Amino acid sequence: MELRQLKYYIAVAETLNFSEAAKKLYITQGTLSQQIKQLEGELGAELFERSSHSVRLTEAGEELLPLARKMMEASDECRMKISDLRQALSGTLRIGVTHSFSHLLPEPVKIFLRAHPGVRLKIFYKTASELIDMLLAGTVDFIITFKPSMDYECISWESILMSQLSAVMWDEHPLADRKMLTVNDISRYGIILPSAGHQSRKVFDRFTNVDTSALDVKVEIDEPNIILDMLYGTQMIAILSSLATRFHKSLVAVPVEEFQQGLTGCVQWLNTTYKKRSVNAFLEIFRESLL
């Protein structure tokens, strides 16, 4: 049983269409059918029920699918390990980042690329829940998010920084010089909230006893960077992580008495797969950039 045959079998099992699978694999349908027949012959069992209109997995085909996927993953992991051992850092490093951390990435990315020119970076900006799905699917190598409320046995995480939910505003706002605010203080001004799905909004909804109807919510936006741009020259206030102002010198983050829930920024990766050396190299640079 060859890995190539398993790859072909998985393609057919996922599409349930020989023609579509052949196009995906860049081979002819005849070659694909021949390889599947050889695999079935070696296993002594039919893997697919074929008719003129449809293709279905047999019981044996359904049993083989998770095993075949594990074998292919093990093969890929083996190749990555050998590549790491034999070469300088190379290949592609796939990073998932929530928008809340987007402003922390440019400098470590530049430093990393200067140090490891053989590595190509693919960076995805998504919500935390979308990034968790990508991590579980193996389409990113690690993610940088606020720590989610749900734990996964297959995901390890490491805390990298702490922040808290705050009132973020232009530094010439009437409340900008206050050390602490209350909900009553900010209720007199227009409020901007991140859309549902963003971690700071989840924390706001889960851990504060504030009814949003008590606030004058003017805007809800799913892009935190746009929220920050909207604060300049206005008296509006955004409810965001205190991290939001780190690279925005004309904005300030003031704690709110009712919003004292801490936010843990963390790196997460799958503990069931090989952790590339490039992951460790990038994270070392990223940690240093936060000091």
Side-chain angles (χ1 to χ4, degrees), residues 183 186-187 189-194 201 204-206 208-220 239 259:
V183 169
I186 66 174
S187 65
Y189 298 90
I191 301 296
I192 306 176
L193 287 176
R201 177 60 182 271
F204 175 83
D205 291 339
R206 187 181 304 122
T208 64
N209 295 318
V210 178
D211 182 356
T212 54
S213 65
L215 299 175
D216 185 15
V217 178
K218 297 290 189 184
V219 188
E220 293 187 44
I239 308 302
F259 300 169

Side-chain angles (χ1 to χ4, degrees), residues 165-169 175-181 252-256:
L165 211 57
S166 301
V168 177
M169 65 196 78
L175 300 179
D177 59 352
R178 298 276 292 273
K179 300 299 182 184
M180 178 70 72
L181 296 170
V252 296
V254 184
V256 179

Side-chain angles (χ1 to χ4, degrees), residues 34-45:
Q34 183 182 26
Q35 289 294 320
I36 295 298
K37 284 186 179 295
Q38 288 182 9
L39 178 60
E40 290 176 325
E42 291 180 30
L43 295 173

